[in-house]
Amino acid sequence: MLFNVERDLGDLIEGYLIPDGFSDHPSIIVSGIEGILARLTCDQYREAVVESGRHGTGLVGFRIDNSVVADLAQREILGVHDAKSGLLIYRRIPASNRKSLKIVRLETQIVPATRLDRFCSEGFQYELHSAERFGHETTLQAFHLDTLDSVYISGRLLLKNYEAFLDRGFQAVALLTEPYYEMAARIFVLKKMARVPLSFLGDRDRLILTPAAEHFADVDLHSEASLKSALKKAPPKVRSVLTSPMTRQLVCTTPEQFVTKADVAAAIELLSRFTVVGHDSEPSLFQFGVAELLGRPAEDIPLPTRHRVLEEAAVRLREIPAAESLVEHDLIFDHYVRQALRVGSFES
Protein backbone atom coordinates (compact mmCIF):
# COMPACT_ATOMS: atom_id res chain seq x y z
CA MET A 1 0.00 0.00 0.00
CA LEU A 2 0.98 3.64 -0.42
CA PHE A 3 0.53 6.23 2.31
CA ASN A 4 1.78 9.59 3.51
CA VAL A 5 0.81 12.68 5.46
CA GLU A 6 0.97 15.70 3.20
CA ARG A 7 0.74 18.26 5.97
CA ASP A 8 0.29 18.63 9.71
CA LEU A 9 -0.66 22.20 10.58
CA GLY A 10 -1.48 21.46 14.19
CA ASP A 11 -5.23 21.84 13.89
CA LEU A 12 -5.32 20.01 10.53
CA ILE A 13 -3.73 16.78 9.30
CA GLU A 14 -4.16 15.70 5.70
CA GLY A 15 -2.83 12.60 4.00
CA TYR A 16 -3.72 9.55 1.96
CA LEU A 17 -3.86 5.77 2.21
CA ILE A 18 -3.97 3.81 -1.04
CA PRO A 19 -4.84 0.17 -0.29
CA ASP A 20 -3.60 -2.87 -2.19
CA GLY A 21 -7.11 -3.68 -3.41
CA PHE A 22 -8.31 -1.64 -6.42
CA SER A 23 -11.84 -1.37 -5.04
CA ASP A 24 -11.10 -1.44 -1.30
CA HIS A 25 -12.41 1.40 0.85
CA PRO A 26 -9.51 2.47 3.11
CA SER A 27 -10.08 3.71 6.63
CA ILE A 28 -7.89 4.92 9.46
CA ILE A 29 -7.83 4.85 13.25
CA VAL A 30 -6.69 7.94 15.12
CA SER A 31 -5.41 7.32 18.64
CA GLY A 32 -4.01 9.32 21.53
CA ILE A 33 -2.73 8.68 25.04
CA GLU A 34 -6.21 7.67 26.19
CA GLY A 35 -6.74 5.19 23.35
CA ILE A 36 -8.76 5.32 20.14
CA LEU A 37 -10.07 8.81 19.40
CA ALA A 38 -11.71 8.28 16.02
CA ARG A 39 -12.33 5.85 13.17
CA LEU A 40 -12.44 7.57 9.82
CA THR A 41 -13.20 6.38 6.30
CA CYS A 42 -10.95 7.94 3.70
CA ASP A 43 -13.32 10.12 1.67
CA GLN A 44 -11.09 12.75 0.06
CA TYR A 45 -10.78 12.42 -3.72
CA ARG A 46 -7.33 12.11 -5.34
CA GLU A 47 -7.60 12.39 -9.11
CA ALA A 48 -3.99 11.31 -9.75
CA VAL A 49 -4.67 7.99 -8.06
CA VAL A 50 -7.52 7.25 -10.48
CA GLU A 51 -5.53 8.41 -13.52
CA SER A 52 -2.62 6.15 -12.58
CA GLY A 53 -4.94 3.15 -12.21
CA ARG A 54 -4.06 2.63 -8.55
CA HIS A 55 -7.62 2.84 -7.21
CA GLY A 56 -11.13 2.66 -8.60
CA THR A 57 -12.78 5.65 -6.91
CA GLY A 58 -9.81 7.78 -5.83
CA LEU A 59 -11.39 8.21 -2.40
CA VAL A 60 -8.16 7.54 -0.53
CA GLY A 61 -7.44 10.87 1.18
CA PHE A 62 -8.19 11.70 4.80
CA ARG A 63 -8.65 14.97 6.67
CA ILE A 64 -8.39 15.17 10.45
CA ASP A 65 -9.49 18.39 12.13
CA ASN A 66 -11.24 19.45 15.34
CA SER A 67 -14.51 17.97 14.13
CA VAL A 68 -12.81 14.56 14.12
CA VAL A 69 -10.51 14.95 17.14
CA ALA A 70 -11.21 17.63 19.73
CA ASP A 71 -8.32 19.95 20.65
CA LEU A 72 -6.24 18.53 17.82
CA ALA A 73 -3.62 21.28 17.89
CA GLN A 74 -2.93 20.73 21.59
CA ARG A 75 -2.25 17.01 21.22
CA GLU A 76 1.49 16.35 21.21
CA ILE A 77 0.99 12.58 21.03
CA LEU A 78 -1.15 11.22 18.23
CA GLY A 79 -1.12 8.16 16.00
CA VAL A 80 -2.76 7.42 12.65
CA HIS A 81 -2.97 3.75 11.62
CA ASP A 82 -4.48 1.79 8.76
CA ALA A 83 -7.63 0.26 10.27
CA LYS A 84 -7.25 -3.01 8.34
CA SER A 85 -3.60 -3.93 8.89
CA GLY A 86 -2.67 -1.78 11.88
CA LEU A 87 0.19 -0.26 9.87
CA LEU A 88 1.40 3.07 11.24
CA ILE A 89 0.73 5.89 8.78
CA TYR A 90 1.82 8.89 10.84
CA ARG A 91 2.66 9.80 14.41
CA ARG A 92 3.12 12.90 16.46
CA ILE A 93 5.53 12.78 19.38
CA PRO A 94 6.93 15.65 21.48
CA ALA A 95 9.79 17.38 19.69
CA SER A 96 11.87 17.22 22.88
CA ASN A 97 11.84 13.39 22.74
CA ARG A 98 12.23 12.96 18.99
CA LYS A 99 15.40 11.51 17.52
CA SER A 100 16.49 13.15 14.27
CA LEU A 101 17.81 9.95 12.71
CA LYS A 102 16.85 7.61 9.92
CA ILE A 103 17.82 4.02 10.70
CA VAL A 104 17.28 0.71 8.96
CA ARG A 105 18.10 -2.36 11.03
CA LEU A 106 18.69 -5.36 8.82
CA GLU A 107 17.22 -8.40 10.55
CA THR A 108 19.45 -11.42 9.91
CA GLN A 109 17.47 -14.02 11.87
CA ILE A 110 14.24 -15.66 10.80
CA VAL A 111 12.83 -14.96 14.28
CA PRO A 112 12.67 -11.16 14.64
CA ALA A 113 14.38 -9.46 17.58
CA THR A 114 11.24 -7.66 18.70
CA ARG A 115 12.61 -6.54 22.09
CA LEU A 116 15.58 -4.95 20.36
CA ASP A 117 13.30 -3.14 17.91
CA ARG A 118 11.00 -1.85 20.65
CA PHE A 119 14.00 -0.48 22.54
CA CYS A 120 15.81 1.04 19.56
CA SER A 121 12.73 2.65 18.01
CA GLU A 122 11.85 4.68 21.11
CA GLY A 123 11.83 8.37 20.22
CA PHE A 124 11.31 7.89 16.48
CA GLN A 125 8.37 9.60 14.85
CA TYR A 126 7.82 6.76 12.39
CA GLU A 127 8.59 3.08 12.93
CA LEU A 128 8.05 -0.06 10.93
CA HIS A 129 9.14 -3.36 12.50
CA SER A 130 9.48 -6.66 10.59
CA ALA A 131 8.84 -4.79 7.37
CA GLU A 132 9.00 -7.96 5.27
CA ARG A 133 5.49 -8.83 6.53
CA PHE A 134 4.03 -5.91 4.58
CA GLY A 135 5.76 -6.47 1.23
CA HIS A 136 8.17 -4.48 -0.91
CA GLU A 137 5.86 -1.63 -1.96
CA THR A 138 4.78 -0.78 1.59
CA THR A 139 8.37 -0.97 2.84
CA LEU A 140 9.55 1.23 -0.02
CA GLN A 141 6.89 3.79 0.91
CA ALA A 142 8.25 3.90 4.47
CA PHE A 143 11.70 4.71 3.08
CA HIS A 144 10.11 7.42 0.92
CA LEU A 145 8.64 9.41 3.85
CA ASP A 146 10.84 12.35 2.91
CA THR A 147 8.98 14.89 5.06
CA LEU A 148 10.12 13.06 8.21
CA ASP A 149 13.63 13.11 9.64
CA SER A 150 12.87 10.56 12.36
CA VAL A 151 12.35 7.06 10.90
CA TYR A 152 13.18 3.55 12.16
CA ILE A 153 12.69 0.56 9.86
CA SER A 154 13.65 -3.03 10.60
CA GLY A 155 13.17 -6.26 8.74
CA ARG A 156 14.52 -9.31 7.00
CA LEU A 157 14.88 -7.26 3.83
CA LEU A 158 16.60 -7.83 0.52
CA LEU A 159 18.64 -4.73 1.14
CA LYS A 160 19.87 -4.30 -2.42
CA ASN A 161 16.36 -2.98 -3.20
CA TYR A 162 16.84 -0.16 -0.69
CA GLU A 163 20.57 0.54 -1.00
CA ALA A 164 19.96 3.94 -2.62
CA PHE A 165 18.47 5.22 0.64
CA LEU A 166 21.87 4.90 2.32
CA ASP A 167 22.70 7.98 0.22
CA ARG A 168 19.53 9.74 1.37
CA GLY A 169 20.11 9.97 5.09
CA PHE A 170 19.50 6.39 6.25
CA GLN A 171 22.08 4.65 8.43
CA ALA A 172 22.11 0.85 8.44
CA VAL A 173 22.84 -1.39 11.43
CA ALA A 174 22.97 -5.19 11.68
CA LEU A 175 23.79 -7.93 14.16
CA LEU A 176 24.98 -10.88 12.09
CA THR A 177 24.28 -14.49 12.99
CA GLU A 178 26.62 -17.48 12.78
CA PRO A 179 25.46 -19.47 9.70
CA TYR A 180 24.96 -22.88 11.32
CA TYR A 181 23.05 -21.37 14.24
CA GLU A 182 20.74 -19.57 11.81
CA MET A 183 20.22 -22.80 9.88
CA ALA A 184 19.24 -24.55 13.11
CA ALA A 185 16.85 -21.70 13.93
CA ARG A 186 15.26 -21.91 10.49
CA ILE A 187 14.72 -25.67 10.75
CA PHE A 188 13.22 -25.18 14.23
CA VAL A 189 10.82 -22.51 12.90
CA LEU A 190 9.87 -24.70 9.95
CA LYS A 191 9.05 -27.60 12.31
CA LYS A 192 6.90 -25.31 14.41
CA MET A 193 5.23 -23.75 11.37
CA ALA A 194 4.10 -27.22 10.29
CA ARG A 195 2.04 -27.46 13.50
CA VAL A 196 0.87 -23.93 14.36
CA PRO A 197 0.55 -20.56 12.60
CA LEU A 198 3.40 -18.16 13.36
CA SER A 199 2.31 -14.53 13.64
CA PHE A 200 5.73 -13.06 12.81
CA LEU A 201 5.64 -14.53 9.29
CA GLY A 202 3.89 -12.60 6.54
CA ASP A 203 1.80 -14.06 3.72
CA ARG A 204 4.71 -14.19 1.27
CA ASP A 205 6.95 -15.93 3.81
CA ARG A 206 4.28 -18.51 4.51
CA LEU A 207 3.89 -19.21 0.80
CA ILE A 208 7.64 -19.65 0.31
CA LEU A 209 8.24 -21.61 3.51
CA THR A 210 5.29 -24.04 3.43
CA PRO A 211 7.01 -26.75 1.30
CA ALA A 212 10.04 -26.61 3.62
CA ALA A 213 7.81 -26.73 6.71
CA GLU A 214 6.20 -29.90 5.41
CA HIS A 215 9.60 -31.41 4.64
CA PHE A 216 11.10 -30.72 8.08
CA ALA A 217 7.93 -31.37 10.09
CA ASP A 218 9.22 -34.58 11.66
CA VAL A 219 12.97 -33.95 11.72
CA ASP A 220 14.67 -34.47 15.09
CA LEU A 221 16.99 -31.55 15.95
CA HIS A 222 18.70 -33.75 18.53
CA SER A 223 19.66 -36.38 15.95
CA GLU A 224 22.49 -35.85 13.48
CA ALA A 225 21.20 -38.76 11.42
CA SER A 226 17.73 -37.24 11.18
CA LEU A 227 19.12 -33.83 10.18
CA LYS A 228 21.48 -35.41 7.64
CA SER A 229 18.69 -37.43 6.04
CA ALA A 230 16.33 -34.44 5.80
CA LEU A 231 18.98 -32.21 4.23
CA LYS A 232 20.11 -34.85 1.71
CA LYS A 233 16.53 -35.52 0.58
CA ALA A 234 15.49 -31.84 0.43
CA PRO A 235 14.12 -30.80 -3.01
CA PRO A 236 15.25 -27.49 -4.59
CA LYS A 237 12.38 -25.40 -3.13
CA VAL A 238 13.29 -26.60 0.35
CA ARG A 239 17.03 -26.15 -0.12
CA SER A 240 16.54 -22.55 -1.25
CA VAL A 241 15.06 -21.64 2.15
CA LEU A 242 18.35 -22.60 3.82
CA THR A 243 20.81 -21.51 1.12
CA SER A 244 23.18 -18.75 2.38
CA PRO A 245 20.38 -16.42 3.57
CA MET A 246 22.75 -13.67 4.78
CA THR A 247 24.58 -13.28 1.48
CA ARG A 248 21.26 -13.36 -0.36
CA GLN A 249 19.86 -10.57 1.80
CA LEU A 250 22.72 -8.31 0.71
CA VAL A 251 22.95 -9.08 -3.03
CA CYS A 252 19.58 -10.40 -4.21
CA THR A 253 16.58 -8.34 -5.32
CA THR A 254 14.03 -11.20 -5.39
CA PRO A 255 13.56 -14.25 -3.12
CA GLU A 256 13.98 -16.59 -6.10
CA GLN A 257 17.46 -15.28 -6.97
CA PHE A 258 20.46 -17.46 -6.17
CA VAL A 259 23.99 -16.43 -5.26
CA THR A 260 27.44 -17.59 -6.29
CA LYS A 261 30.81 -17.40 -4.63
CA ALA A 262 31.50 -14.22 -6.60
CA ASP A 263 28.60 -12.51 -4.80
CA VAL A 264 30.34 -12.69 -1.42
CA ALA A 265 32.56 -9.72 -2.29
CA ALA A 266 29.49 -7.68 -3.29
CA ALA A 267 27.80 -8.59 0.00
CA ILE A 268 30.82 -7.43 2.01
CA GLU A 269 30.98 -4.23 -0.04
CA LEU A 270 27.38 -3.36 0.81
CA LEU A 271 27.96 -4.27 4.45
CA SER A 272 30.90 -1.85 4.51
CA ARG A 273 28.36 0.97 4.09
CA PHE A 274 26.68 0.12 7.41
CA THR A 275 27.13 2.45 10.35
CA VAL A 276 27.06 -0.38 12.91
CA VAL A 277 27.89 -4.03 12.29
CA GLY A 278 28.07 -6.66 15.01
CA HIS A 279 28.27 -10.43 15.21
CA ASP A 280 26.53 -12.69 17.68
CA SER A 281 29.92 -14.18 18.61
CA GLU A 282 30.85 -10.77 20.09
CA PRO A 283 27.53 -8.97 20.65
CA SER A 284 29.06 -6.25 22.84
CA LEU A 285 30.49 -4.62 19.71
CA PHE A 286 26.96 -4.22 18.41
CA GLN A 287 25.69 -2.92 21.76
CA PHE A 288 28.37 -0.24 21.98
CA GLY A 289 27.88 0.80 18.36
CA VAL A 290 24.11 1.16 18.67
CA ALA A 291 24.48 2.88 22.04
CA GLU A 292 26.73 5.52 20.51
CA LEU A 293 24.34 6.01 17.59
CA LEU A 294 21.22 6.33 19.74
CA GLY A 295 22.73 7.99 22.79
CA ARG A 296 21.56 5.18 25.07
CA PRO A 297 23.46 3.10 27.67
CA ALA A 298 25.06 0.06 26.02
CA GLU A 299 24.12 -2.25 28.88
CA ASP A 300 20.42 -1.41 28.35
CA ILE A 301 20.35 -2.60 24.74
CA PRO A 302 18.64 -6.03 24.64
CA LEU A 303 20.19 -8.74 22.50
CA PRO A 304 18.42 -11.69 20.84
CA THR A 305 18.32 -14.71 23.14
CA ARG A 306 20.49 -17.66 22.17
CA HIS A 307 18.89 -21.04 22.80
CA ARG A 308 20.81 -24.08 23.95
CA VAL A 309 18.84 -26.52 21.78
CA LEU A 310 19.72 -24.48 18.69
CA GLU A 311 23.38 -24.19 19.68
CA GLU A 312 23.51 -27.97 20.06
CA ALA A 313 21.77 -28.46 16.70
CA ALA A 314 24.26 -26.06 15.10
CA VAL A 315 27.11 -28.27 16.35
CA ARG A 316 25.50 -31.29 14.68
CA LEU A 317 24.94 -29.39 11.44
CA ARG A 318 28.66 -28.52 11.24
CA GLU A 319 29.38 -32.23 10.82
CA ILE A 320 27.00 -32.66 7.88
CA PRO A 321 28.45 -32.04 4.39
CA ALA A 322 25.00 -31.28 2.96
CA ALA A 323 24.58 -28.47 5.49
CA GLU A 324 27.99 -27.03 4.66
CA SER A 325 27.18 -26.94 0.95
CA LEU A 326 23.95 -25.04 1.63
CA VAL A 327 25.64 -22.25 3.61
CA GLU A 328 28.94 -22.30 1.75
CA HIS A 329 28.75 -18.64 0.70
CA ASP A 330 27.58 -17.50 4.12
CA LEU A 331 30.51 -19.32 5.72
CA ILE A 332 32.96 -17.44 3.50
CA PHE A 333 31.13 -14.19 4.15
CA ASP A 334 31.07 -14.87 7.90
CA HIS A 335 34.83 -15.57 7.93
CA TYR A 336 35.75 -12.27 6.29
CA VAL A 337 33.28 -10.30 8.40
CA ARG A 338 34.77 -11.64 11.62
CA GLN A 339 38.25 -10.78 10.39
CA ALA A 340 37.11 -7.27 9.50
CA LEU A 341 35.47 -6.78 12.90
CA ARG A 342 38.71 -7.76 14.61
CA VAL A 343 40.67 -5.06 12.76
CA GLY A 344 37.77 -2.59 12.69
CA SER A 345 37.23 -2.25 8.94
CA PHE A 346 35.67 -4.01 5.96
CA GLU A 347 37.45 -4.72 2.69
CA SER A 348 35.86 -6.72 -0.12
Side-chain angles (χ1 to χ4, degrees):
M1 68 181 72
L2 302 178
F3 57 94
N4 208 344
V5 162
E6 296 151 315
R7 56 179 177 163
D8 181 352
L9 303 178
D11 60 353
L12 174 66
I13 300 174
E14 289 186 314
Y16 60 84
L17 171 59
I18 306 173
D20 294 329
F22 182 73
S23 58
D24 288 353
H25 302 291
S27 59
I28 60 171
I29 293 175
V30 186
S31 57
I33 296 176
E34 61 270 56
I36 294 175
L37 302 174
R39 298 177 184 271
L40 189 67
T41 299
C42 297
D43 58 2
Q44 303 294 301
Y45 181 68
R46 296 290 192 274
E47 183 177 0
V49 176
V50 177
E51 291 178 348
S52 65
R54 287 305 308 257
H55 194 261
T57 68
L59 296 176
V60 297
F62 58 84
R63 177 186 174 95
I64 305 168
D65 56 23
N66 286 315
S67 68
V68 177
V69 174
D71 302 318
L72 181 60
Q74 284 70 53
R75 292 182 178 273
E76 285 190 307
I77 298 177
L78 196 76
V80 180
H81 292 79
D82 170 33
K84 183 177 180 179
S85 66
L87 178 74
L88 178 67
I89 305 301
Y90 177 71
R91 181 163 62 190
R92 278 184 189 173
I93 61 174
S96 58
N97 296 335
R98 188 168 63 236
K99 294 187 181 299
S100 295
L101 289 170
K102 291 185 176 183
I103 292 178
V104 53
R105 186 183 76 81
L106 185 65
E107 179 61 81
T108 65
Q109 298 188 34
I110 193 167
V111 180
T114 53
R115 283 199 313 132
L116 177 61
D117 281 333
R118 284 196 297 268
F119 179 89
C120 291
S121 62
E122 289 179 11
F124 284 86
Q125 189 172 6
Y126 186 84
E127 62 181 16
L128 179 61
H129 300 170
S130 299
E132 73 279 354
R133 292 177 300 146
F134 298 97
H136 171 62
E137 186 178 64
T138 301
T139 302
L140 191 62
Q141 182 66 54
F143 278 99
H144 272 299
L145 297 176
D146 294 335
T147 60
L148 301 180
D149 65 355
S150 180
V151 179
Y152 180 93
I153 300 171
S154 72
R156 197 164 19 86
L157 304 174
L158 298 175
L159 198 65
K160 196 69 178 176
N161 291 319
Y162 312 99
E163 182 183 5
F165 293 96
L166 300 183
D167 296 320
R168 303 178 194 176
F170 273 89
Q171 300 182 68
V173 304
L175 176 63
L176 306 182
T177 311
E178 195 278 323
Y180 286 115
Y181 184 88
E182 177 58 19
M183 178 182 279
R186 286 178 175 242
I187 294 173
F188 176 83
V189 166
L190 293 169
K191 280 176 55 64
K192 192 167 184 178
M193 180 184 168
R195 299 191 305 274
V196 296
L198 300 178
S199 60
F200 60 82
L201 295 175
D203 291 340
R204 187 170 191 177
D205 268 338
R206 282 191 283 270
L207 183 65
I208 293 172
L209 297 176
T210 293
E214 294 171 352
H215 180 80
F216 286 107
D218 299 321
V219 72
D220 182 1
L221 285 170
H222 298 90
S223 167
E224 183 177 327
S226 179
L227 287 166
K228 184 176 182 179
S229 176
L231 290 172
K232 286 183 66 175
K233 294 177 182 178
K237 280 189 176 182
V238 173
R239 290 173 61 86
S240 67
V241 171
L242 302 176
T243 301
S244 294
M246 186 67 258
T247 305
R248 292 172 71 179
Q249 276 190 256
L250 290 167
V251 301
C252 295
T253 56
T254 66
E256 298 80 17
Q257 187 177 342
F258 286 95
V259 295
T260 66
K261 189 174 181 179
D263 290 314
V264 174
I268 294 173
E269 183 178 359
L270 179 50
L271 193 69
S272 71
R273 302 190 63 189
F274 280 45
T275 303
V276 178
V277 175
H279 194 282
D280 62 359
S281 63
E282 292 185 75
S284 61
L285 294 175
F286 178 78
Q287 284 181 302
F288 284 114
V290 171
E292 184 177 357
L293 184 62
L294 298 180
R296 307 282 294 273
E299 61 272 17
D300 291 348
I301 296 174
L303 295 170
T305 303
R306 288 186 68 87
H307 300 280
R308 183 176 175 181
V309 65
L310 299 184
E311 290 177 335
E312 293 173 350
V315 171
R316 297 183 186 96
L317 289 168
R318 288 189 186 95
E319 302 301 318
I320 302 174
E324 181 181 2
S325 68
L326 285 172
V327 292
E328 176 187 2
H329 307 313
D330 271 8
L331 290 172
I332 299 170
F333 173 83
D334 190 71
H335 170 75
Y336 283 111
V337 167
R338 291 200 200 198
Q339 280 193 331
L341 288 174
R342 279 195 291 270
V343 300
S345 65
F346 287 91
E347 295 180 1
S348 58

